[in-house]
Each structure stands twice: as structure tokens, then as C-alpha cells.
Amino acid sequence: MKKVTKKAFGILALVVLAVPVQAGWLSNLGQRIVNGAANTVQTNISGKVNKAVNDVMDGKVQTQNNETKKSNSKAAKSGNVNSKTLDATSEEYLDTKVTSTTKRGKALPITGKYEEIDAGIFRFKAEPIYDKELRMGQTKIEIDEFLDPGYYAIWVNPSSRTHSVSAMYEHEEKGLEWGFGIKTVKRIFNNGPYNMLGNKEGLLHIVEILPGTQGHLELTVVNSQERMGTAEVMIYHIPGPNLEIIK
């Protein structure tokens, strides 16, 4: 096999020397190989997400075990909704690993004009910048958005009490929740991401996009097998790392 390989490279070298008119084609060969590799990686990533979606629709995603539920319950209770703010100090930063990306896009627009948001059990000060619904009959919704530097509250809120929905993080295998460049500061509600019902508040996380970067939010919310679940994905821009509670 080694001899054949050396011979093949020898023939290629002769072609390069003997056929100069083909130099342009050969010079593009490396670029085509790189592009092909990139396309393969993207295809593999899309395949993983599609498999996760298919697993949900086939009923293969199981309800979280007791240890995970206990952990989620503890995390949810850590946000004291009776206090003036839901504090997130530097010691409370949960994701120390922030994987950035050179990919850039048009970010969700923000104005800095905050209003009162009613979360049911408490109200907070924020600017709503994104809202997308998963309705009955839909298989899934996909969120692919860029966020400029600052603090945000991301809320995946299931509303059906009888049919569950699941949130699929695009880059979960890399240890990322919401996506590249998005740092989770605090988990207010953490009743997910799989088999979420409307009797709890789903996922409400405070995240930060570091100065000089962009966050790339990539998330898929998948319906129940019967496509009877409902949910809403909301993104709020907030003044700082704490939810400012309105009494």
C-alpha cells in the first residue's frame, strides 16, 4: 500500500510539471478538500440533532432520574423569588468554560428600554427581544440567533400539563448549554431540558455575553410524540446579572 501511495504522488508531481494549464485546478484542490471537511462536520452535527429529535418522537428519551431531579429542584430553589433581586454574584457563575466562535451574525436588536414582565409567581424588569411558540401539531421549532454583549434571561416555558416538550442544545456534546459564547450566570428555573410539562416553569437561565464577543444561541424545542405539546421560548435583555424584582 505504501508503494502504491508513493507512486500515485509521483504521477501527480509529473502532472503538475507537465501540464501547467491545469495549475489553477490543482491550486483549488486543497480548498475543496477543506470545504468538504467542513461540510462533513456540519452534516454530522445536524445528524446528531436530527437523531435527538427522532428519539423524542419515538419515545426513547426517558424522564430524568431522581438524582437529576433533585439537582434541578435545588438549583431552582436557589433563586429566592421573595427577595428584591435574584442575585448572581461572581462566585455563582456556573459555566466557567466559555467557548467562543468566530462566526458572526445580525444580533437581536436591543433598545435598553425595560418594562415589567409578569412571570406568574413574580415580576421582573427586562426588555423582551424574542418570542417563538411551539404549537400543537408542530414537530419542533428551531432557534438560531446571535446576541450582542450583555446580560439576558432565556426562558423555555412549557404550557401543556398533559403532553411534554423537550429542549435540545445544539452543542451539548461539547459541554455547552445554549451555544457558543453564552455563559450561564444563574439558573432560576431548571426543570428540563427533557419531558417538560406546564406544571413547572421549564428553563429560565440568566446568561452573559462577554464584551467584544457575540453569543450564538442554537436550540431546538421538540414536541411530544402526539405533537400535542405547547411551549414558548422567550429572550429578555436585562440590566445586569440579577433579575430586578418588581413588588
Side-chain angles (χ1 to χ4, degrees):
M1 181 61 69
K2 291 182 179 180
K3 291 182 179 179
V4 174
T5 303
K6 290 180 180 178
K7 183 177 180 181
F9 277 114
I11 294 172
L12 180 59
L14 290 174
V15 171
V16 173
L17 293 174
V19 192
V21 294
Q22 298 295 327
W25 182 88
L26 290 169
S27 65
N28 292 331
L29 179 60
Q31 186 60 46
R32 286 200 299 276
I33 292 174
V34 171
N35 291 341
N39 291 336
T40 300
V41 171
Q42 185 59 45
T43 299
N44 289 340
I45 292 173
S46 299
K48 290 179 181 179
V49 174
N50 289 336
K51 182 182 183 302
V53 171
N54 291 336
D55 286 345
V56 171
M57 300 309 296
D58 292 339
K60 295 179 181 179
V61 175
Q62 301 299 320
T63 304
Q64 296 166 311
N65 58 39
N66 291 334
E67 290 301 319
T68 303
K69 286 183 178 179
K70 290 178 182 178
S71 175
N72 287 344
S73 176
K74 183 178 179 181
K77 291 179 181 178
S78 65
N80 182 4
V81 298
N82 294 320
S83 63
K84 186 176 181 180
T85 61
L86 295 180
D87 296 327
T89 64
S90 59
E91 289 77 20
E92 290 176 308
Y93 271 51
L94 301 176
D95 294 343
T96 57
K97 176 184 176 183
V98 176
T99 304
S100 61
T101 175
T102 57
K103 191 173 182 180
R104 293 291 182 266
K106 184 178 180 181
L108 293 174
I110 55 178
T111 66
K113 297 178 181 178
Y114 304 109
E115 59 186 69
E116 181 179 311
I117 306 298
D118 189 352
I121 58 175
F122 64 93
R123 294 172 297 150
F124 62 96
K125 188 177 181 181
E127 176 187 359
I129 61 172
Y130 184 88
D131 189 301
K132 192 169 187 177
E133 289 184 82
L134 175 68
R135 299 184 177 93
M136 287 190 295
Q138 289 182 293
T139 300
K140 63 180 180 178
I141 56 173
E142 296 178 346
I143 294 88
D144 187 348
E145 300 290 346
F146 287 91
L147 301 173
D148 279 337
Y151 294 95
Y152 300 84
I154 304 177
W155 194 355
V156 182
N157 188 25
S159 49
S160 172
R161 292 176 175 265
T162 56
H163 293 84
S164 66
V165 300
S166 297
M168 304 292 181
Y169 300 120
E170 182 80 16
H171 302 288
E172 187 174 8
E173 76 281 357
K174 298 183 180 69
L176 302 175
E177 284 184 327
W178 302 103
F180 287 109
I182 301 177
K183 187 183 188 75
T184 299
V185 176
K186 192 177 184 69
R187 298 183 178 103
I188 307 302
F189 304 135
N190 203 45
N191 302 302
Y194 303 118
N195 301 315
M196 296 184 291
L197 290 171
N199 59 339
K200 293 185 178 180
E201 292 81 7
L203 299 169
L204 175 56
H205 292 185
I206 299 175
V207 304
E208 179 186 10
I209 314 301
L210 297 177
T213 70
Q214 268 196 331
H216 190 188
L217 174 61
E218 295 179 274
L219 177 74
T220 301
V221 181
V222 187
N223 212 333
S224 63
Q225 289 179 273
E226 302 81 7
R227 296 177 177 83
M228 293 293 289
T230 52
E232 190 173 9
V233 179
M234 297 160 286
I235 304 175
Y236 302 95
H237 181 246
I238 58 178
N242 307 313
L243 283 184
E244 186 176 336
I245 302 303
I246 301 173
K247 294 184 178 180

